Amino acid sequence: MAPAQPTTKNTAPSQARVDSWTWAVRLFKTRSAAAEACRGGHVRVNGVAAKPAQPVRPGDEVRVRAGGVERIVIVERVITKRVGPPIAAQCLIDRSPPPPPREIVASMPRRDRGSGRPTKRERRETDRLLGRTDN
């Protein structure tokens, strides 16, 4: 009798689609949101803009820009199914920079949505606040 072949159910895949992997490790809430981010150019794999079907392998660097925050993760283990947060955390190495302090975020001027372009005076104030004066 021939030895039993290993089943593919127990072995981990060697690669996965980038949209599926980013959804599975909980970088996006839905897979369609992950695919849309890929199509919009917000996901980069090893420094190159990724299409949703681009494969990721262990050791690849994935940069995701979502919600105004950039996450930099290294693929530790490839998964295709969504898992719980503790297991998802084992599938990546997070190299993201720390978020800015709350004081800086709170002091940044914010415009009301739909209020149009800033006036020249508002642009000058913003430039002065950010230290971009030409004096």
Side-chain angles (χ1 to χ4, degrees):
M1 188 185 257
Q5 294 290 328
T7 61
T8 57
K9 235 179 186 4
N10 294 335
T11 60
S14 62
Q15 64 184 21
R17 291 172 54 115
V18 68
D19 63 340
S20 176
W21 186 82
T22 54
W23 165 74
V25 295
R26 296 173 174 263
L27 295 177
F28 290 101
K29 284 189 173 189
T30 64
R31 184 167 170 191
S32 61
E36 188 65 32
C38 291
R39 283 190 292 274
H42 300 291
V43 178
R44 300 175 84 70
V45 176
N46 295 327
V48 179
K51 292 184 178 179
Q54 180 172 342
V56 292
R57 295 173 182 85
D60 285 348
E61 178 189 69
V62 179
R63 291 176 178 255
V64 175
R65 194 172 68 238
V69 178
E70 184 173 23
R71 301 273 314 263
I72 303 169
V73 297
I74 308 294
V75 178
E76 183 75 14
R77 198 170 73 194
V78 176
I79 58 173
T80 57
K81 299 288 184 184
R82 195 160 171 106
V83 293
I87 298 170
Q90 296 172 357
C91 297
L92 57 91
I93 300 170
D94 196 357
R95 300 281 167 97
S96 303
R102 288 186 181 193
E103 298 83 31
I104 293 175
V105 174
S107 69
M108 292 294 288
R110 302 224 47 167
R111 294 184 56 79
D112 292 333
R113 190 168 178 89
S115 63
R117 288 183 59 180
T119 63
K120 190 170 188 176
R121 179 180 182 186
E122 290 171 333
R123 285 196 310 268
R124 286 180 179 157
E125 289 173 355
T126 303
D127 288 342
R128 200 173 308 119
L129 179 68
L130 296 175
R132 296 186 295 204
T133 58
D134 293 333
N135 295 337

